[in-house]
């Protein structure tokens, strides 16, 4: 089962269950308050309370603990009112066994809180309040025990089962994503590495056999770029394997290129770049530093392609918990090499940054240029 399939099944089940819960509460409300006048156990005030208590049920997924506490508070209010002024909520002349809790909403509030709130221990407190008020220990009867178990305890157990099911689905989704990343890593290693290695070997052969200096220099640059591409590819494969539970440890051992090299390369082709680095680069892990290098590299490549003549400022701040990267360029002074790009480079960067738990933002700046900003979070050791 793929992550998309698992996620779709989960969302569909949640929506169906939410609809059934609301429908069930309304149906139980009708059963509780509608009937022959001689059998109606709730007074007008009691019916109003029952209807009012159902409303917050629409927030059972967004604020489950608040909904169940509201239900418990309503039950407390009903019980105090009946003890102080008997007959205000319940028409005891017709029914002496009616529960002094919001019957329609209680099972769904309890189930929703147990299934959607992380701390189930906290949910048991209002659940216990509802159970005790439903029992009315000072007037305990067998029928009341059965009703309280059905309306409070059984929904709590069902909610706990749903929460366990959701945790299982989450584990399945993470496992499926890890498997996909591991397969992608293997495919990249087998196909892309093979082709790039051939390119590096051919460039090396051309460098050895070329007769003129310009051709040898071009071949050497091509070979060096190919070797760098292989290093970056190995790091991406290592990250993917780590996500798939197949850590090789190569990421931390791979050499991390300096940002000053990228600045020098851009300056040599006519793109002036100002580099500002704050903090000690050694604070950042190898994965974070290499990702920062890749962000700056892609940003400078885009400037050369789409913003000729623009000035660029690269600002990197290293910290113990995260590294912030900002690349901003001024407006171009001439037409670019292409009118528009596919945007795949930035999309790939976002995916790469997200794999280490970071965020990336890119878009036009207020000065008329373009900016790429990222926050790279240090991996948890």
């Amino acid at each position: 089962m793929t992550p998309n399939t698992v996620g779709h099944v989960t969302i569909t089940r949640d929506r169906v269950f939410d609809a059934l819960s609301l429908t069930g509460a309304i149906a139980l409300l009708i059963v509780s308050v509608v009937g022959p006048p001689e059998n109606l156990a709730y007074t007008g005030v009691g019916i109003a309370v029952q209807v009012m208590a159902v409303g917050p049920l629409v927030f059972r997924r967004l604020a489950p603990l608040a909904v169940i506490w509201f239900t418990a508070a309503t039950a407390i209010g009903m019980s105090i009112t009946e003890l102080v002024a008997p007959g205000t909520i319940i028409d005891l002349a017709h029914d002496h066994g009616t529960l002094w809790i919001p019957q329609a909403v209680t099972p769904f509030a309890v189930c929703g809180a147990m299934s959607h709130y992380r701390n189930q221990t906290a949910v048991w407190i209002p659940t216990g309040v509802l159970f005790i008020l439903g029992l009315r220990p000072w007037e305990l009867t067998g029928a009341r025990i059965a009703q309280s178990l059905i309306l409070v305890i059984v929904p709590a157990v069902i909610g706990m089962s749903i929460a366990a099911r959701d945790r299982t689905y989450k584990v399945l989704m993470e496992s499926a994503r890890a498997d996909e990343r591991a397969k992608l890593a293997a495919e990249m290693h087998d196909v892309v590495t093979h082709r790039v290695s051939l390119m590096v070997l051919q460039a090396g052969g051309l460098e050895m056999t070329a007769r003129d200096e310009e051709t040898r220099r071009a071949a050497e640059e091509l070979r060096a770029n190919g070797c760098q591409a292989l290093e970056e590819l190995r790091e991406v494969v290592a990250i993917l394997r780590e996500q798939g539970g197949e850590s090789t440890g190569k990421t931390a051992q791979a050499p991390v290129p300096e940002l000053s090299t990228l600045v020098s390369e851009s300056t040599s082709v006519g793109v002036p770049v100002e580099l500002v680095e704050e903090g000690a680069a050694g604070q950042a892990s190898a994965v974070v530093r290499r990702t920062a290098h890749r962000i700056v590299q892609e940003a400078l490549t885009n400037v050369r392609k789409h913003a000729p003549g623009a000035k660029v400022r690269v600002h990197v701040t290293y910290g113990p918990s995260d590294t912030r990267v900002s690349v901003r360029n001024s407006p171009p002074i001439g037409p670019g090499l292409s009118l528009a790009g596919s945007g795949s480079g930035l999309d790939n960067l976002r995916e790469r940054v997200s794999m280490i738990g970071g965020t990336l933002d890119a878009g036009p700046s207020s000065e008329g240029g373009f900016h790429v900003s990222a926050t790279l979070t240090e991996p948890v050791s």
Side-chain angles (χ1 to χ4, degrees), residues 209-231:
T209 58
R211 296 182 179 181
D212 60 283
E213 182 63 26
E214 183 177 355
T215 302
R216 283 195 296 270
R217 186 165 57 252
E220 165 59 21
E221 183 178 353
L222 178 62
R223 187 188 65 80
N225 287 334
C227 290
Q228 183 178 353
L230 282 174
E231 288 296 332

Side-chain angles (χ1 to χ4, degrees), residues 1-12 169 173 176 180:
M1 184 178 291
T2 65
N4 289 337
T5 303
V6 175
H8 178 72
V9 170
T10 303
I11 292 173
T12 300
Y169 271 112
M173 291 179 68
E180 288 188 353

Side-chain angles (χ1 to χ4, degrees), residues 80-90 92 100:
I80 293 175
T81 300
E82 277 301 306
L83 289 174
V84 173
T88 303
I89 302 292
I90 309 296
L92 299 180
W100 294 359

Side-chain angles (χ1 to χ4, degrees), residues 97-113:
T98 301
L99 294 177
W100 294 359
I101 60 175
Q103 295 186 57
V105 71
T106 293
F108 303 100
V110 171
C111 183

Side-chain angles (χ1 to χ4, degrees), residues 303 306-311 329-336 368-370:
V303 171
H306 307 297
K311 296 181 180 180
N329 65 270
S330 61
I333 60 175
F370 199 84

Side-chain angles (χ1 to χ4, degrees), residues 17-18 53 56-73 105-120 122-127 130 159 162-163 166:
F17 195 80
D18 287 344
L57 195 62
V58 298
F59 302 105
R60 59 186 290 274
R61 189 178 297 276
L62 297 176
L65 190 63
V67 170
I68 191 173
W69 266 117
F70 179 84
T71 306
V105 71
T106 293
F108 303 100
V110 171
C111 183
M114 282 294 179
S115 58
H116 300 310
Y117 196 71
R118 291 183 178 181
N119 187 359
Q120 292 181 339
V123 177
W124 275 111
I125 298 175
T127 300
L130 287 168
I162 293 174
D166 290 343

